[in-house]
Amino acid sequence: MKDYNVVIIGSGIGGLVCAGILANKGLNVLVIEKNQGPGGYLTSFKRKGFIFDSAVDCFSGLDESGAIRRLLKELGLESEIEFINVDPIRESIFPGIRVKTWSSVSRYIEDLKTLFPSEKKIDSFFEKMGEIYSEISRWASGIIQFKEGNTDFTNIFLKYGRLTYKDLMDDYLYDERLKSILSDRCSFLGLPPSKISAISMISLLMSYFMSGAYRPVGGCQKLSDLLVAGIKKKGGQIIFKSEVSRINRRGNRVVSVMTTNETEYCADFYVSNIDYINTFSMLGEKYIFEAQEKFNEYGISPSFFILYIGTKADLGLLGNSSSIGYFPSFDMEGAFDFKNSFTETTPIGLTIPTISDHSMAPRNSHSIMVHHLTDYAYTKSWKEEKKRLSEVIIRMAEKVIPGIRDQAVHIESASPFTLERYTANIRGAAYGWQPVPGVRPIKTGIENLYLAGHWHGLGGGIIAATYSGFITAREILRQV
């Protein structure tokens, strides 16, 4: 007799989504989480009355047909959480140019055409992105509706899977400044336009236009905590502060998992929502070697240095912009050369949820998260370098918000080493595998062991991890 139908290791969004779907279908589900709370990167913390989201700016999937909205409905939770629709989705500051990305794609296109009147194919470029995204959207709709025989994903990759985002832009656009502006959210996935998959970038950009960009009122932790409540409501269980240390197998099947306190849990199926390398290191030497091969073949995403600032600074000049990208130059390729990290030439992103959500800071104050994409190998002494690097980021942030330091009530930082320690993602990887062109057929090779989250083949980002949870839940339900 098995203790559970499914044991899920880790409570990031992919694991929570998978657990919620399976629990809602009546399966006996256990989630084991090493930290004291759920969410992975979808978490928040509180300091001196300020609430900070750990890593996430905003995400889609909350329109009426969105994946996250659908799960909340199925768990009976839709009325128990409020979301803010972020608009403008982003404001990007380049030398001499400020551009707001509105939720209305037509408004955004008109702004670009005004800025670059000599570019005659801006409409055509967005039409092509819309065409590709419509195929992605049909595939995604089939996933959350559990439709069988959905081949749209294969068709998409046959047609566009080898294209980089730069390839696509070069077919329609000429002005390198315009291309840089349209690449402003490459940092959301961690690669420059010459390397990032066109499909990954289109999925990110167009999902915001078509589905909207959202934040939970009160911080991202609200969503993670609510999903935990929904899983428990449906009979599922979640254990916190318990870390899986070993995955026991017999032949090509997992028979149990063991935690660090020597508690053993058995199930019919197992799902890993944690780091790919860590997962395979718990299976034995043969699997560690296979995981290393995947690591070398696909590569992992970079990480972030994040500054959390609680401030009383007046942000009236920002208007309604709560997500800002600051780019000291139009050189988007150089921006991703991490040898130049923490210099005056590399970009930063600022997330200021309190522009529209006043519950996340004391009265007349703001919570600000400043993100700087970097590589884990930038320094061997993140702990010793934190103070100096924080000073660099503050100086850059002051170019967007003058006086932010003088009015600061609290300043705290997280390095790639911090992210690695908290999430156990190797090298503090922000998005799992790097989203290069091509298919990443990431499977475990173990009959009853599955993956969910950004180490699944879909890659990183909240919505991609959400769909991975749906896919894995469907694969398990087929066999129950």
Side-chain angles (χ1 to χ4, degrees):
M1 177 68 70
K2 300 291 184 183
D3 295 328
Y4 299 92
N5 296 122
V6 184
V7 167
I8 298 175
I9 308 168
S11 66
I13 184 66
L16 293 175
V17 167
C18 185
I21 295 166
L22 296 175
N24 187 54
K25 295 294 185 180
L27 273 66
N28 189 11
V29 177
L30 171 68
V31 180
I32 304 173
E33 168 58 51
K34 77 180 184 70
N35 291 311
Q36 62 184 0
Y41 282 129
L42 195 69
T43 56
S44 311
F45 61 92
K46 193 170 185 177
R47 299 285 190 272
K48 297 182 180 180
F50 295 90
I51 297 173
F52 299 101
D53 285 329
S54 298
V56 173
D57 183 285
C58 59
F59 49 89
S60 61
L62 282 155
D63 57 307
E64 283 305 309
S65 60
I68 297 174
R69 179 77 66 184
R70 180 183 178 91
L71 179 59
L72 291 173
K73 285 181 180 179
E74 290 190 0
L75 295 176
L77 303 172
E78 189 179 16
S79 63
E80 297 184 30
I81 188 169
E82 183 181 353
F83 294 94
I84 290 172
N85 193 346
V86 180
D87 195 19
I89 300 167
R90 186 78 162 171
E91 180 173 8
S92 295
I93 304 171
F94 286 88
I97 299 178
R98 295 179 76 119
V99 183
K100 290 185 178 181
T101 303
W102 302 99
S103 59
S104 166
V105 66
S106 59
R107 183 178 180 183
Y108 182 52
I109 290 171
E110 289 307 311
D111 286 351
L112 293 177
K113 288 162 71 174
T114 299
L115 286 169
F116 300 95
S118 63
E119 291 282 353
K120 304 303 181 185
K121 293 186 178 181
I122 293 176
D123 284 319
S124 299
F125 174 69
F126 277 90
E127 286 169 7
K128 173 54 70 172
M129 287 209 297
E131 174 190 323
I132 296 172
Y133 185 73
S134 67
E135 294 189 50
I136 296 169
S137 186
R138 281 195 298 272
W139 167 80
S141 178
I143 290 298
I144 65 175
Q145 294 177 42
F146 292 93
K147 288 182 179 178
E148 297 294 335
N150 190 343
T151 61
D152 287 329
F153 193 67
T154 302
N155 293 336
I156 294 164
F157 270 93
L158 285 174
K159 286 191 278 188
Y160 309 111
R162 295 295 174 184
L163 281 180
T164 68
Y165 185 55
K166 183 179 185 300
D167 291 334
L168 187 68
M169 289 193 294
D170 287 347
D171 284 343
Y172 296 89
L173 310 170
Y174 297 94
D175 195 310
E176 294 302 322
R177 296 173 303 159
L178 174 58
K179 294 177 189 179
S180 294
I181 288 168
L182 288 167
S183 303
D184 60 351
R185 270 150 296 165
C186 280
S187 57
F188 279 31
L189 292 174
L191 286 177
S194 66
K195 293 182 180 179
I196 197 167
S197 157
I199 290 176
S200 295
M201 197 63 184
I202 290 167
S203 298
L204 173 72
L205 296 175
M206 297 305 292
S207 69
Y208 288 141
F209 289 127
M210 300 304 173
S211 302
Y214 299 88
R215 297 190 189 109
V217 172
C220 289
Q221 193 69 57
K222 297 286 186 180
L223 176 57
S224 297
D225 288 345
L226 186 61
L227 290 175
V228 167
I231 292 164
K232 290 180 177 179
K233 179 181 174 183
K234 295 295 182 176
Q237 298 180 53
I238 299 187
I239 301 172
F240 295 109
K241 295 190 288 186
S242 183
E243 185 173 2
V244 173
S245 59
R246 192 163 72 249
I247 300 175
N248 300 315
R249 60 184 174 81
R250 185 176 300 123
N252 202 38
R253 290 184 65 83
V254 175
V255 293
S256 68
V257 296
M258 189 79 74
T259 61
T260 51
N261 66 359
E262 293 300 307
T263 303
E264 189 173 17
Y265 299 95
C266 301
D268 299 300
F269 303 95
Y270 300 82
V271 178
S272 175
N273 183 218
I274 65 171
D275 175 89
Y276 190 84
I277 301 294
N278 285 335
T279 300
F280 279 76
S281 70
M282 292 188 285
L283 282 164
E285 186 174 345
K286 168 191 172 185
Y287 294 94
I288 295 173
F289 177 76
E290 292 180 5
Q292 189 63 48
E293 284 188 326
K294 286 285 190 297
F295 179 88
N296 295 334
E297 181 179 359
Y298 297 124
I300 65 166
S301 68
S303 188
F304 277 101
F305 189 94
I306 307 173
L307 212 58
Y308 307 98
I309 304 173
T311 182
K312 293 183 178 180
D314 182 3
L315 305 187
L317 290 175
L318 299 182
N320 55 357
S321 295
S322 63
S323 177
I324 299 172
Y326 172 71
F327 300 87
S329 81
F330 288 98
D331 180 10
M332 295 303 287
E333 297 299 317
F336 291 85
D337 182 350
F338 299 124
K339 294 176 183 176
N340 299 323
S341 290
F342 303 99
T343 69
E344 299 298 317
T345 64
T346 49
I348 57 170
L350 296 92
T351 301
I352 316 163
T354 44
I355 292 288
S356 52
D357 182 2
H358 305 299
S359 70
M360 293 182 67
R363 184 178 175 83
N364 298 321
S365 300
H366 288 279
S367 299
I368 301 174
M369 286 69 75
V370 187
H371 305 83
H372 178 58
L373 197 70
T374 188
D375 185 67
Y376 186 88
Y378 173 78
T379 177
K380 294 181 180 179
S381 54
W382 285 106
K383 186 175 181 179
E384 290 75 14
E385 289 273 43
K386 256 189 175 184
K387 185 176 180 180
R388 180 182 70 82
L389 299 177
S390 295
E391 287 296 314
V392 174
I393 300 302
I394 288 175
R395 286 200 302 271
M396 296 175 73
E398 286 187 320
K399 295 181 180 180
V400 181
I401 308 174
I404 191 174
R405 181 205 305 272
D406 295 339
Q407 298 295 316
V409 175
H410 178 77
I411 299 177
E412 185 173 342
S413 62
S415 71
F417 180 74
T418 311
L419 301 184
E420 182 183 54
R421 188 178 69 249
Y422 179 76
T423 66
N425 279 315
I426 185 170
R427 298 184 184 177
Y431 307 110
W433 304 111
Q434 59 179 352
V436 294
V439 181
R440 292 178 298 277
I442 307 297
K443 300 288 184 182
T444 67
I446 306 291
E447 290 179 10
N448 60 339
L449 176 61
Y450 300 87
L451 302 172
H454 63 199
W455 295 101
H456 184 273
L458 290 182
I462 296 300
I463 195 62
T466 296
Y467 279 114
S468 81
F470 272 90
I471 291 170
T472 298
R474 181 173 72 169
E475 291 180 358
I476 290 173
L477 289 170
R478 283 173 174 163
Q479 301 178 62
V480 173

